[in-house]
Amino acid sequence: MLFLSTFVNAQVVEKKKDSLGGVLDEVVIITKKNKIKTDLKMAVSVDEFLASSANISFIKRGAYAWEPLLNNMSTERSMITIDGMHVFGACTDKMDPITSYVDSNNLSDIEIKSGQEGGLHGATVAGSIDLKRKSTPFDFAKKWSGGYQTGFELNNNQFFNLANASFSDDKLVVDASISNRKASNYFDGNNEEVKNSQFEKLNASLGVAYKTTDLSSVRVDAIFDRAKDVGFPALPMDLSLSRALITSIAYKQFFEKGIVKVWDTKLYFNAIEHYMDDTNRPENLVHMDMPGWSTTYGLLSKINLQKGNLSSEVQLNAYNNLSIAEMRMYPQDRSERTMFAFSWPWVTTTYAGLSINNLWDISDTSQLNFGGSLGVNYNFSKYVEFNRIFHPNASQEKIRFLPSVHAGYNFDVYNFNFSFGSGYGHRAPSVSEGYGYYIYNSFDRFDYIGNPDLKNEISYEVNASAGYKTKKGSIHAKVNYFYIDNYIIGRILSLGSPMNYQSVGVKGYTSLDYATLFNFSINAKYTLLQKLHWQGTLTYARGLDDTKMNLPFIRPLSYQSSLHFSHKKFGFLTSLNGDFEHINYSPLYGEDETPSFKNFNVSADYTFYIKDYKTVFQVGAENLLNEFYSTYADWGNIPRMGRNIFTSLKINF
Amino acid sequence: MKYLHFTLLTICIVMASCTIEKTDYGAELGIETTEFIEFNEAITTNSGDYNISIAALNGTFYKGYNEIRLKITNSNTNELLENSEITFLPILTDANGNKSSSPHQYNLTYNATEGYYSGFAVFTSETSTTISWQLYINFTDGNKTHAVNETIIVEEQTNKNLNITAFTGNDNAQYFIALVAPQSPNIGQNNLIAGIYRYNKPTNVAGVFPDATQFSYSIVDNYTLLLDPRMPEPSMGNHSSPNNQDLTQQTNGLYQGVVNYTMTGNWTLNFILKNEQGQTIKGTEVSTAFTPGIVGAKGELFIDILF
């Protein structure tokens, strides 16, 4: 909804330019300034930025690569893309969500859509998170711009440097960025070191766009990301190295007349390698390597149409992914034969789907959006013998049809805004859910086995929102409810025995008859004084399985409240956030009761100019009271970071 | 600036191309095992007008189970001898000159389509400085019986998937279990084939050597071999696999079941041998407990394999 309106606005801008100059200067229409920062911190990681959204929560296994949960659903149920491109992590333990392969300085925005509205890029249940890369528009005059950001965080000695530069003229645009972050172990609220929580990340990106005609352009993009020596304190293993190369070539054609406005086609390729091992864990009984690879080729082609007050997006998605993961255990006598198995036995996923989103401006105060998609999902397991150990009749290949539809109505009455929506959609099981083999989950300490013949998960969803706005403030409440048929979750198997020495048993992915999920959030803003703003958010969620037992990883009642004051070149912010006690936990799925916690944070910034370059210096502290806590979704109840004093400096030129 | 980033990106691409190599799965499975499917001549000997040739897998006799294919050619006519009555007796002589045998098929079966006589021998030890093996073969042509004996070399079996075990059952009989297949197991389901044999104690006084009644073995019929595979490696904590099937006798006399190997490495096949009445001849149930750090369970009757 939000995005569609952005799109419409962009079209309007484009029309104006068209009528004024007769030439389209902006071939690349989505050009926003860098929004990747939170109220508290101007230099944030992608994870920290996502955490500031009300419908995102995180599973954390350390200080790095948090797994985002959208509407309290894990990444199998959401669709995470980079500019619409599908990228699949290469770690069976989900230690590399796609968000870990970008950095804040090569993104311009992150677009989050809830539920079936997010079905444009592919089948989903929870919704979609699209990471939008920076792309500078063509400009008549030659223009250079750039930014540099550096900072230090005291708690874990994190030192980071982020730089980006752009060049644009009327024919050529170049965007480049490079970033480096290096951190040592962090300390918890009891000032104790959390061992194996260090990380180091290097990210570089380059985008080159060339205007081929007045109405068309070609753009080539590449992101390279390398993380090494990343510790996962909640796991028995660490990441020694991960590398991602994410590339695309896109052709964009604008049309001055007719109902077709833009046709955007992109071919992409990405390769990810992810090497887990336990070289730094001498306490482990068995030495083990777990390398993983994921390679994806894809095509994305989108047409934007507009006629009168109806605008539509039609998108074709096609991709092919090969996921491979191996495990090799070394016997205590290293001269003995190693023990080898595939945890993903060369699983191919091929998907092709057509989706459509429409926005109908019924009047100035009411809009209807509606759409749907139909996809075909094909899986092939090369070494199906692995899957047949637990499921002797498992099929080697599987074709699934994944339909979805959604509709929403949004209207304003005086200062009130209301919306209602509904959706229906299927999703295919993920590679791990379908084909995973002895994937150790250190949260509930079970080895997980996939089932290739799981049924599609089918989601029925309703959502509503109500808002009220005055000059001084606003309040907005959102609610959604998911009824999910064939909800896929791990259940204890009576057969087989664990393979990983830390595990206590074997779980197989099975379908529950159904599960239900309820999410609620309320957000309020108020201007107390001209320069003193208050903002608060409250979220609540509940998830139940078919026997009315709690689902795991459902966030308890949580809140966030912040006060921002600015005066001349100074800005101050204080915020308080926390979770209430996690009462509705799920012992069946390995959860225990988590006590409540609160975090008090402060920051101050000062803006000044070095020559003509705007410079901002910021200093602040997170968890100022050094509270010792872990959240409901902290893997193995590892403690979170204690007091963290951070500083950063940003120069724009 | 631009060139700098291009250079940087080129470096990145070069870096991305050198990675940890993916495991070649086929090669990985063949590290410890070789699968032989071709029968080659292992030994040939002449007796009068006859040439006797015995083929075995890889042209070699190994310790353990050996399927043999014997051909007799009349050197005068160059024709294969058909429908002969052939007896086959392997004899082991130890350092003291004691003679014994091992499970074998005494009367070979004629295969008319292929023109050979088939049988098997389960050699219980390999040829060494103290142990030698001889084959005693009798055959008939018309009404005439011919006898041949020939020394053979029995090689060590390095493929543990063809291991054997010999034991005395609760009924005081001597038993042998020899693994026959798979020679080169896969991760996943494998049809596990084994031969089970019993030594028949002689009831009469020995006649002229070689007296077949003194060296008689038979295939054990209608028993059941219960199977419980475990990994012996301590860090695997007595790991096992699901969906295994006990071995039962097939029409060819061999026993067949299903073993699932969840990964490569050392495995212990724990067995319980039960007779037709369900009485245990040998073997004990093993612990199914998950015991990290402790060597995997081995019962009274087991065979270790490795792949």
Side-chain angles (χ1 to χ4, degrees):
Chain A
M1 190 70 213
L2 177 78
F3 174 64
L4 276 172
S5 50
T6 324
F7 163 61
V8 171
N9 288 340
Q11 292 290 328
V12 172
V13 172
E14 179 204 317
K15 265 185 192 163
K16 276 179 189 159
K17 292 222 173 198
D18 200 1
S19 55
L20 283 173
V23 180
L24 279 169
D25 298 318
E26 293 195 12
V27 174
V28 183
I29 52 167
I30 301 158
T31 57
K32 293 173 197 153
K33 60 181 179 182
N34 189 357
K35 277 185 172 177
I36 311 292
K37 61 176 188 180
T38 62
D39 290 337
L40 179 70
K41 271 168 111 173
M42 65 176 185
V44 291
S45 68
V46 176
D47 290 344
E48 285 173 316
F49 176 72
L50 276 172
S52 64
S53 167
N55 45 6
I56 302 265
S57 48
F58 280 100
I59 291 177
K60 296 172 186 173
R61 299 167 178 98
Y64 186 76
W66 301 342
E67 183 192 350
L69 304 179
L70 176 58
N71 283 320
N72 286 288
M73 288 184 253
S74 60
T75 45
E76 292 96 4
R77 292 190 177 86
S78 61
M79 178 62 55
I80 307 181
T81 51
I82 299 174
D83 280 341
M85 298 187 291
H86 291 263
V87 184
F88 296 89
C91 179
T92 52
D93 287 345
K94 299 200 280 187
M95 241 59 71
D96 64 336
I98 306 320
T99 44
S100 72
Y101 290 118
V102 289
D103 206 335
S104 49
N105 72 333
N106 58 27
L107 297 182
S108 66
D109 194 9
I110 298 177
E111 175 191 296
I112 300 163
K113 289 205 257 180
S114 173
Q116 295 304 329
E117 258 186 68
L120 189 65
H121 301 308
T124 181
V125 167
S128 69
I129 299 174
D130 191 34
L131 307 161
K132 298 212 167 287
R133 282 189 290 191
K134 261 187 197 159
S135 95
T136 307
F138 292 101
D139 206 328
F140 271 123
K142 267 192 189 163
K143 202 167 120 192
W144 284 92
S145 65
Y148 170 70
Q149 214 168 341
T150 182
F152 190 75
E153 305 204 354
L154 245 61
N155 185 297
N156 59 350
N157 289 327
Q158 185 184 166
F159 181 53
F160 60 86
N161 283 287
L162 314 171
N164 59 282
S166 301
F167 167 81
S168 60
D169 67 14
D170 62 335
K171 279 281 182 204
L172 182 74
V173 163
V174 180
D175 289 304
S177 76
I178 186 158
S179 74
N180 180 254
R181 295 171 188 268
K182 192 173 186 336
S184 312
N185 290 339
Y186 69 81
F187 289 79
D188 65 23
N190 291 340
N191 300 322
E192 274 173 41
E193 186 173 356
V194 176
K195 290 214 171 93
N196 301 306
S197 62
Q198 79 289 353
F199 65 87
E200 185 178 348
K201 176 187 169 86
L202 173 77
N203 184 285
S205 77
L206 180 72
V208 179
Y210 183 75
K211 203 196 268 184
T212 40
T213 68
D214 280 349
L215 291 171
S216 66
S217 73
V218 176
R219 187 174 168 98
V220 181
D221 271 296
I223 296 178
F224 172 75
D225 188 271
R226 188 211 64 197
K228 64 177 188 182
D229 191 25
V230 178
F232 290 101
L235 301 177
M237 302 184 87
D238 304 304
L239 172 72
S240 56
L241 176 71
S242 84
R243 275 192 293 214
L245 183 67
I246 299 163
T247 59
S248 64
I249 179 162
Y251 178 75
K252 202 167 201 171
Q253 174 77 55
F254 282 80
F255 302 90
E256 285 182 281
K257 296 194 180 98
I259 58 164
V260 177
K261 300 296 171 196
V262 193
W263 181 30
D264 193 351
T265 299
K266 186 180 325 192
L267 288 168
Y268 61 91
F269 163 77
N270 57 70
I272 290 179
E273 49 188 346
H274 193 271
Y275 306 130
M276 300 279 288
D277 67 33
D278 57 2
T279 317
N280 296 329
R281 308 289 184 102
E283 70 275 17
N284 279 6
L285 200 54
V286 57
H287 171 54
M288 188 170 173
D289 286 335
M290 284 188 64
W293 298 267
S294 164
T295 312
T296 310
Y297 298 88
L299 163 76
L300 186 159
S301 191
K302 184 168 77 168
I303 300 174
N304 290 338
L305 306 144
Q306 191 168 24
K307 189 170 192 207
N309 47 15
L310 179 70
S311 55
S312 309
E313 286 177 285
V314 183
Q315 183 166 315
L316 172 73
N317 291 300
Y319 63 80
N320 173 278
N321 168 263
L322 175 62
S323 291
I324 303 167
E326 300 178 352
M327 55 182 157
R328 187 181 292 278
M329 299 186 188
Y330 294 80
Q332 285 166 339
D333 175 359
R334 291 290 174 89
S335 64
E336 292 264 317
R337 168 92 164 111
T338 56
M339 295 166 278
F340 174 84
F342 286 112
S343 32
W344 282 341
W346 288 62
V347 184
T348 307
T349 307
T350 307
Y351 174 90
L354 195 66
S355 32
I356 181 163
N357 260 3
N358 306 286
L359 181 69
W360 179 24
D361 280 307
I362 300 168
S363 69
D364 283 347
T365 55
S366 65
Q367 294 94 33
L368 180 71
N369 74 74
F370 55 98
S373 69
L374 181 65
V376 185
N377 190 85
Y378 169 79
N379 281 119
F380 179 81
S381 170
K382 185 173 177 190
Y383 300 113
V384 72
E385 56 264 40
F386 284 82
N387 311 112
R388 288 185 178 153
I389 291 176
F390 281 85
H391 301 284
N393 301 316
S395 34
Q396 183 166 28
E397 39 188 352
K398 188 93 184 162
I399 294 177
R400 298 167 187 275
F401 293 93
L402 309 173
S404 85
V405 287
H406 73 269
Y409 181 62
N410 177 28
F411 63 99
D412 299 324
V413 185
Y414 303 108
N415 289 340
F416 291 92
N417 169 280
F418 298 96
S419 77
F420 304 96
S422 181
Y424 162 85
H426 288 229
R427 78 156 177 112
S430 69
V431 171
S432 286
E433 288 168 339
Y435 301 92
Y437 181 71
Y438 281 104
I439 294 173
Y440 176 61
N441 177 326
S442 60
F443 187 81
D444 58 7
R445 301 184 59 212
F446 274 85
D447 283 338
Y448 275 69
I449 306 287
N451 179 358
D453 297 305
L454 286 171
K455 289 181 200 159
N456 290 351
E457 218 175 62
I458 305 168
S459 161
Y460 303 84
E461 153 207 347
V462 286
N463 57 67
S465 77
Y468 177 74
K469 207 180 224 171
T470 65
K471 271 183 182 172
K472 293 215 104 184
S474 68
I475 184 160
H476 198 81
K478 282 196 278 192
V479 61
N480 63 35
Y481 177 81
F482 294 87
Y483 178 94
I484 303 170
D485 265 341
N486 310 323
Y487 188 87
I488 300 168
I489 202 161
R491 276 283 169 94
I492 295 173
L493 286 179
S494 56
L495 58 159
S497 70
M499 181 176 279
N500 295 289
Y501 79 91
Q502 297 98 330
S503 61
V504 294
V506 182
K507 278 191 179 179
Y509 281 108
T510 39
S511 297
L512 301 181
D513 275 354
Y514 68 91
T516 58
L517 262 160
F518 170 79
N519 290 287
F520 171 79
S521 74
I522 186 161
N523 179 284
K525 288 176 184 172
Y526 194 74
T527 307
L528 298 162
L529 298 165
Q530 197 187 352
K531 287 178 174 177
L532 184 64
H533 306 271
W534 173 83
Q535 179 175 302
T537 306
L538 195 71
T539 67
Y540 176 74
R542 191 79 204 271
L544 296 172
D545 72 6
D546 51 357
T547 56
K548 304 287 172 221
M549 300 288 276
N550 292 316
L551 291 178
F553 300 118
I554 305 298
R555 190 173 192 171
L557 188 61
S558 69
Y559 57 91
Q560 187 177 6
S561 169
S562 66
L563 208 54
H564 185 261
F565 175 70
S566 60
H567 181 68
K568 290 183 179 166
K569 289 174 173 178
F570 289 93
F572 300 96
L573 185 126
T574 65
S575 79
L576 180 73
N577 67 283
D579 287 0
F580 284 89
E581 194 178 342
H582 191 204
I583 309 163
N584 296 316
Y585 63 97
S586 164
L588 188 63
Y589 300 106
E591 287 189 318
D592 48 16
E593 197 168 348
T594 310
S596 66
F597 72 87
K598 56 184 183 308
N599 264 349
F600 186 58
N601 314 298
V602 292
S603 76
D605 57 67
Y606 175 65
T607 308
F608 58 102
Y609 287 83
I610 301 177
K611 290 187 180 172
D612 284 338
Y613 305 132
K614 186 183 171 192
T615 308
V616 186
F617 176 74
Q618 188 181 49
V619 60
E622 291 166 305
N623 193 5
L624 187 70
L625 304 175
N626 204 22
E627 177 149 326
F628 179 85
Y629 72 104
S630 69
T631 72
Y632 74 103
D634 283 328
W635 222 242
N637 292 331
I638 49 155
R640 300 305 317 153
M641 200 182 270
R643 183 187 301 119
N644 179 32
I645 295 169
F646 59 89
T647 61
S648 70
L649 181 79
K650 184 179 180 177
I651 308 173
N652 282 320
F653 46 86
Chain B
M1 193 72 187
K2 205 166 79 195
Y3 287 103
L4 179 91
H5 282 286
F6 270 123
T7 318
L8 186 82
L9 199 80
T10 314
I11 293 167
C12 294
I13 292 167
V14 171
M15 278 162 66
S17 60
C18 47
T19 60
I20 293 181
E21 284 297 313
K22 294 182 188 86
T23 299
D24 177 344
Y25 185 52
E28 183 73 25
L29 291 178
I31 289 176
E32 299 287 340
T33 59
T34 316
E35 185 157 21
F36 296 118
I37 47 169
E38 249 180 67
F39 281 83
N40 292 321
E41 187 175 84
I43 190 166
T44 176
T45 181
N46 291 309
S47 168
D49 293 340
Y50 300 95
N51 173 266
I52 299 135
S53 154
I54 304 177
L57 282 176
N58 195 36
T60 312
F61 297 119
Y62 290 103
K63 182 184 170 183
Y65 182 91
N66 295 265
E67 186 184 337
I68 55 153
R69 293 175 178 179
L70 185 143
K71 276 184 182 173
I72 299 178
T73 322
N74 186 321
S75 3
N76 292 332
T77 60
N78 234 356
E79 278 178 6
L80 286 173
L81 181 63
E82 293 174 358
N83 286 313
S84 174
E85 301 268 317
I86 298 188
T87 64
F88 173 86
L89 176 64
I91 293 291
L92 178 153
T93 310
D94 68 13
N96 302 322
N98 295 326
K99 295 197 187 296
S100 59
S101 183
S102 65
H104 60 274
Q105 182 176 336
Y106 185 64
N107 295 299
L108 299 188
T109 316
Y110 182 60
N111 181 332
T113 47
E114 303 287 338
Y116 60 66
Y117 302 84
S118 70
F120 66 86
V122 179
F123 298 112
T124 45
S125 47
E126 59 254 16
T127 301
S128 68
T129 50
T130 56
I131 287 170
S132 69
W133 286 93
Q134 273 190 308
L135 298 181
Y136 288 82
I137 297 160
N138 290 346
F139 62 94
T140 56
D141 187 7
N143 296 326
K144 234 182 141 189
T145 303
H146 305 264
V148 189
N149 74 73
E150 182 73 25
T151 301
I152 57 161
I153 305 289
V154 175
E155 306 262 6
E156 182 193 356
Q157 179 56 268
T158 51
N159 185 345
K160 285 189 158 188
N161 302 289
L162 298 173
N163 265 350
I164 55 168
T165 181
F167 56 93
T168 305
N170 296 336
D171 55 356
N172 275 325
Q174 201 188 355
Y175 289 90
F176 301 84
I177 298 177
L179 297 182
V180 177
Q183 296 180 49
S184 191
N186 294 313
I187 300 175
Q189 268 185 29
N190 292 274
N191 285 327
L192 183 67
I193 300 174
I196 308 178
Y197 310 98
R198 186 197 299 115
Y199 173 57
N200 303 316
K201 284 181 190 152
T203 49
N204 53 336
V205 185
V208 182
F209 181 83
D211 177 359
T213 60
Q214 305 299 308
F215 306 105
S216 166
Y217 293 81
S218 53
I219 292 172
V220 168
D221 285 322
N222 299 319
Y223 279 32
T224 312
L225 193 60
L226 309 186
L227 173 66
D228 188 351
R230 300 270 153 190
M231 287 190 92
E233 172 60 31
S235 60
M236 297 309 297
N238 198 31
H239 175 71
S240 184
S241 62
N243 295 325
N244 300 300
Q245 286 168 25
D246 299 329
L247 288 81
T248 52
Q249 197 175 25
Q250 310 297 299
T251 48
N252 63 3
L254 293 170
Y255 284 74
Q256 186 175 325
V258 172
V259 62
N260 278 284
Y261 296 125
T262 58
M263 62 197 317
T264 63
N266 285 292
W267 285 81
T268 301
L269 302 175
N270 289 297
F271 293 126
I272 297 173
L273 181 63
K274 292 202 162 179
N275 67 12
E276 216 171 344
Q277 288 75 42
Q279 289 156 335
T280 300
I281 299 298
K282 188 80 175 180
T284 45
E285 283 202 22
V286 296
S287 160
T288 55
F290 184 57
T291 54
I294 296 170
V295 175
K298 293 189 187 199
E300 190 181 56
L301 178 62
F302 66 88
I303 295 180
D304 283 331
I305 69 108
L306 170 68
F307 79 108

